[in-house]
Amino acid sequence: MIRCCSSTSALLRQSSSRRRCQHSVLHYQQRFLTTFDNNNDDSVLFHPRHGLLRADGTPINEGNNNNHSSSSSDNNNDNASSSSSSLIEQKDDEQQYRRYNYYCCCCCWFGRRLVLLLLIVILIAVGTTVAVILKSQSQHQEEDDSKTTTRRIHEQLRDILIRFNTSSVEALKNNSTAQYRALEWLALEDSYYQRNNQTLEEAMMANPLDIRQRYLGALIYTSLGGPYWLNEYQFMSTEEHVCDWNQVVNDKSSSRSTIFGIACSGEADDDDDSSTHSSILQQRRQIDYIHLPNNNLMGQLPDELFSRIPALTHLSLEYNSIRGTIPYSYSYNTINWLQQLEYLNLQYNSQLTGSIPAWLFTNNDLPQLKLLWLDDCTGLTGSLPDDSAAASNNNNNNKMTSLSLQNLPGLYGTIPSSLLRGMTKLRGFYLSNTDISGTLPNLDNNGGSMTSLEHLVVTENPGLTGTIPSCYFTNSMPRLERLDLYSNSLDGSLPKLHGESLLPSWRENLKYLYLDDNFLEGDLELFFSFSSSWSGDDSTNNNNGTSTDITAEEDADAAVVVMKEMALQDNFFTGLGHDDDALGAYQHLETLSMYNNPLLKGTLPTQLGLLSNSLEVLDISRTSVQGQIPSELGSLTALRILDLNSNELTGAIPSTLGHLAALQQLSVANNNLTGIVPTELAALPDLQLLLIQFNAFDDTTSLESYFCPANNAIIETFRTDCYIDDIHCTCCSECCYYNSSDDTQNCIPQQEDDDYYYSKDA
């Protein structure tokens, strides 16, 4: 306390302001002491250094002492106690005044500094407020300037896009559209041109085409749910040119590379360091390739995709979830922007709806189109352009090589013959699972319109009726490799070919023939009676009008049949024809399926044995074929499946079938076979299915003694008539019996009835 007061006094002496404080304190002290000693005769003063003083300047302590001394000599001892008491009170007063002095000095010093501190705080607060206001105003000004600049750039970009008819004014001004979002990204977020030392305004002036292409690339992203794609392929990259928004994927199995994303024609030369040359090449780069299959694309196709990319040659968006309609390109009287499009694949987008655009099939709109695939776009409806519409539009796409319209249940109408005849370079036509009706088109246009056709697939169209035109088997389609007409409602007989101009060229090219599941009837001499196929009277007229006799053997030897698969099942064919020797020409045949032809009669031709090197599947079941099983079938060393069940076969199973080392399935059930089951079958190493039930075998004791120990039940499915008392087969998988009460045939897995079976054995 004393140290603080001393320090306070010393500080007060160092400045005039502090002295003024001291005098002020003394003034108040004097007033206080005057009031305090108002009962004394002498005035009392207080000095900061000497304490209490009288008016003459003498300390009160000394006066008290002198009074005490004089009074000691003059007064009596009775006054001693009162003097001592007065001295104590004077000392207390002195201490009180010193304490008061200390507090007053401290309060004055701290008060002044508090005021000064408050002033400083106020000044700082005011300065900070002013600075914040100025900064806020500056920021607002900068934001206003930035907004002004952005608005100007935005408007300039919009003007460029409108000027070049890239997008409509309404779409660019509506902030809820994909066009507006693409424009906003280009104006606010894209920094590609700044990274290349060029402002966006300079880029707009120097190369507006590049700006439009970058906008179109962004539009694809904003329209088709870009944030949800499985792979963005560098879309919306601010570091890459729009032509580099892609990724190259290498297929190790095929040693091929596929580009996913966007690619351009006129690629820049990376080895050329000339900025001028690079700039020129950059300006020449145009989007010509968009490949985004199976990437979870969703949303509607923008109109600009079909109408504002003039160099586009490849558009592949299959296996996605694109919805809405296919944009209408432009009417025939306006500028066409798809002059270069060659490849259009939208298949497996089941949410696409609306009509199938007619312009997809016209030469005026898509003069270069080579491939159009719309498979499994189940929401599309409409019909194929009719003859008059096709004729009015330059006879369709004469560059088309592949047209696939499969699994389109909303496709109705007929197949216009001119639609296909106008596609003179067509190699593949696929029309399946539709509501198409009518008949198959006659594609014979003066004998050579479909000379490039290799695959003709028209299947699963229950409304398609009528006969098969003869041109499908003649020189009208000399390159046809696959003729697939299964699961329609075709009827009538196969065509009878006559004349040299209709020589069956299918022999040299047709590899896959599928006529199953129709209502076809008649014989099969088109395929198995070559001589009659050439001429009804076994002769052919040459160019000079003379006749040349051709025997069946000569024709069979001369013919080269490359057929690999022939499916004729589920029809009403009656016979193979008049020339079974023709079978020897099918040296490449791998599958011959004729099951479920209930009207097919006759016997199994022995010439089937001539197909020893190729035939793998022979299925002639559920027919009316009679006679015995030819022993020549034992030479079919490549045979894997032999199915002859549910016929009218008689006799015994040839033991030569034991030579079929590759045989996996053998079915001769539901016939009238007799004799014994050849023990040689038990040695077949790959046999997995053996069906011999519902026959009239004489002795079946060989089943238990040969089949069961030999293969240890390796045959997965082994059916026989186990419920007959004299048949024992512990390794059979199913035991079969005939129930005369309800005229049914039943087969029961043996493990379900083991007790009954073994009780019979006992």
Side-chain angles (χ1 to χ4, degrees), residues 408-655:
L408 297 176
L411 182 62
Y412 57 86
T414 61
I415 308 175
S417 58
S418 62
L419 175 69
L420 298 181
R421 285 204 300 260
M423 301 177 182
T424 56
K425 296 184 179 180
L426 191 65
R427 297 175 59 187
F429 177 64
Y430 308 88
L431 182 69
S432 301
N433 193 18
T434 70
D435 197 26
I436 288 289
S437 58
T439 60
L440 290 172
N442 188 347
L443 301 180
D444 186 9
N445 185 12
N446 296 325
S449 63
M450 307 300 293
T451 56
S452 299
L453 191 63
E454 297 177 359
H455 291 180
L456 179 58
V457 179
V458 183
T459 64
E460 299 179 283
N461 301 290
L464 200 60
T465 61
T467 60
I468 302 176
S470 60
C471 63
Y472 288 14
F473 303 98
T474 66
N475 285 341
S476 294
M477 293 182 284
R479 297 184 180 179
L480 191 64
E481 294 183 358
R482 177 177 179 178
L483 178 60
D484 197 342
L485 303 176
Y486 76 85
S487 296
N488 294 302
S489 298
L490 303 176
D491 53 25
S493 302
L494 294 178
K496 307 292 184 180
L497 304 183
H498 303 281
E500 190 177 77
S501 61
L502 299 178
L503 292 179
S505 59
W506 60 266
R507 300 179 190 174
E508 300 179 359
N509 298 285
L510 192 61
K511 297 180 180 179
Y512 304 96
L513 175 66
Y514 304 99
L515 303 179
D516 48 303
D517 195 15
N518 280 287
F519 300 95
L520 299 173
E521 58 187 25
D523 57 44
L524 295 169
E525 67 176 35
L526 172 65
F527 304 112
F528 300 113
S529 296
F530 289 171
S531 59
S532 59
S533 297
W534 285 60
S535 175
D537 57 358
D538 294 337
S539 65
T540 300
N541 293 325
N542 57 26
N543 293 332
N544 298 324
T546 60
S547 222
T548 304
D549 294 333
I550 301 178
T551 65
E553 293 181 358
E554 292 174 343
D555 188 20
D557 293 337
V560 178
V561 179
V562 297
M563 188 86 68
K564 288 187 175 182
E565 296 183 10
M566 180 181 290
L568 306 172
Q569 68 268 18
D570 294 307
N571 280 292
F572 297 94
F573 292 120
T574 57
L576 297 180
H578 305 290
D579 183 13
D580 294 340
D581 291 334
L583 282 171
Y586 287 83
Q587 293 299 313
H588 301 280
L589 190 63
E590 298 176 357
T591 300
L592 177 58
S593 180
M594 302 177 66
Y595 67 85
N596 199 23
N597 273 281
L599 301 181
L600 187 63
K601 298 180 180 180
T603 60
L604 293 175
T606 59
Q607 288 78 7
L608 287 171
L610 300 176
L611 310 180
S612 59
N613 297 324
S614 60
L615 194 61
E616 298 181 3
V617 177
L618 177 59
D619 191 344
I620 308 180
S621 60
R622 287 175 286 180
T623 70
S624 298
V625 171
Q626 302 173 346
Q628 297 184 352
I629 300 175
S631 60
E632 287 80 1
L633 297 184
S635 62
L636 301 176
T637 55
L639 196 65
R640 295 183 296 105
I641 298 175
L642 176 58
D643 193 346
L644 302 175
N645 84 85
S646 301
N647 289 303
E648 300 177 10
L649 299 175
T650 57
I653 299 176
S655 60

Side-chain angles (χ1 to χ4, degrees), residues 713-729:
I714 291 179
I715 301 178
E716 296 179 1
T717 304
F718 189 3
R719 296 177 188 171
T720 188
D721 302 319
C722 301
Y723 283 141
I724 299 176
D725 292 336
D726 59 347
I727 296 180
H728 301 274
C729 182

Side-chain angles (χ1 to χ4, degrees), residues 125-146:
V126 172
T128 303
T129 303
V130 172
V132 170
I133 293 174
L134 293 176
K135 184 177 181 180
S136 177
Q137 292 178 348
S138 176
Q139 289 179 347
H140 284 302
Q141 184 64 34
E142 291 178 358
E143 290 178 0
D144 292 340
D145 294 342
S146 177

Side-chain angles (χ1 to χ4, degrees), residues 341-343 360 366-372 397 399-400:
L341 188 62
E342 299 179 359
Y343 185 103
L360 292 176
L366 302 173
Q368 303 297 328
L369 190 63
K370 298 179 180 178
L371 183 145
L372 174 60
N397 305 74
K399 298 288 184 67
M400 184 79 73

Side-chain angles (χ1 to χ4, degrees), residues 115 120 159 186 208 225 242 371 385 404 493 558 741:
V115 172
I120 294 173
D159 292 342
L186 192 61
V242 65
L371 183 145
S404 186
S493 302
S741 62

